[in-house]
Amino acid sequence: MGEILIQADVDKIEAEIRHRELEVRPQILQEVKEARAQGDLSENFEYHAAKQARGKNEGRIKYLKNVLKFAKVISDESKPDEVGMNDTVTVYNLDEEEDETYRIVTSIRANALKHLVSIGSPIGSALLGHKVGDTVTVHVHSKDNMGREHVYDYDVEITKIEKTGNLPTDEIGTY
């Protein structure tokens, strides 16, 4: 199964594909052409850099088209009092006795450093559909260096839900 996306993800991916095909591709092709005109290609840094840029651009276009081809598009709507897609959720971690804030997003936009957690992650999937005041158990499965699986659980209490919605600053992740 492919990526789970919302319509805003699809729109951003389609916009990036158009940009790469209509603006970046011609620019890179021009750079390749100009570098080739300089003569000896064996030691021509500009030529090799332009060809590398072309490969990266074409690879990104192919990747994005495949994401769309196999994607499942879901609704980002949720009840006003429940955790849903694009909501910012503050929880109190009962084990660590501290507040944590996350925004629930699709996996293609997830970024742990920015507290953007995927709906498929342990915390993201555990929070979906719950309300302020609910205590939720998060089930985490991991493997150690020896390949042994470990399972542990922790509890969080939902203290705040903000209906953040889709933000223009949301980025589609790289591969």
Side-chain angles (χ1 to χ4, degrees):
M1 185 170 137
E3 293 279 346
I4 295 175
L5 305 175
I6 60 172
Q7 188 58 48
D9 296 335
V10 172
D11 295 344
K12 285 184 183 206
I13 291 170
E14 288 173 342
E16 183 175 344
I17 290 169
R18 278 191 307 276
H19 170 73
R20 289 180 172 279
E21 288 179 336
L22 301 175
E23 295 177 35
V24 176
R25 182 185 281 160
Q27 176 186 345
I28 291 173
L29 290 175
Q30 182 62 34
E31 290 171 7
V32 170
K33 183 180 175 182
E34 289 173 5
R36 185 178 288 146
Q38 294 177 7
D40 183 12
L41 300 181
S42 63
E43 295 184 21
N44 186 330
F45 173 77
E46 289 82 8
Y47 176 74
H48 293 287
K51 285 198 55 136
Q52 183 178 25
R54 183 175 72 184
K56 284 183 178 182
N57 188 57
E58 296 304 318
R60 179 72 174 170
I61 291 169
K62 184 176 182 178
Y63 166 75
L64 293 172
K65 285 183 175 182
N66 278 328
V67 167
L68 290 180
K69 182 177 179 180
F70 297 106
K72 177 182 178 187
V73 180
I74 63 168
S75 171
D76 60 348
E77 294 182 18
S78 61
K79 294 180 181 175
D81 62 340
E82 290 183 356
V83 176
M85 183 66 67
N86 289 322
D87 292 347
T88 300
V89 184
T90 302
V91 297
Y92 180 74
N93 185 318
L94 300 173
D95 293 339
E96 296 182 14
E97 298 182 346
E98 64 182 27
D99 287 326
E100 301 167 349
T101 301
Y102 304 102
R103 187 154 155 258
I104 311 298
V105 298
T106 54
S107 62
I108 202 160
R109 290 184 289 139
N111 183 331
L113 297 175
K114 295 181 179 179
H115 300 278
L116 301 174
V117 297
S118 163
I119 57 173
S121 69
I123 185 78
S125 60
L127 293 173
L128 283 176
H130 287 279
K131 301 177 180 184
V132 170
D134 287 354
T135 298
V136 179
T137 301
V138 179
H139 304 285
V140 180
H141 299 266
S142 65
K143 289 187 178 183
D144 63 20
N145 292 341
M146 301 298 287
R148 294 176 296 222
E149 187 169 326
H150 299 277
V151 178
Y152 63 95
D153 300 332
Y154 64 96
D155 293 327
V156 297
E157 180 183 345
I158 300 173
T159 59
K160 185 178 180 183
I161 301 171
E162 295 175 64
K163 295 295 182 181
T164 313
N166 190 46
L167 300 176
T169 55
D170 289 347
E171 298 175 351
I172 300 299
T174 59
Y175 60 100

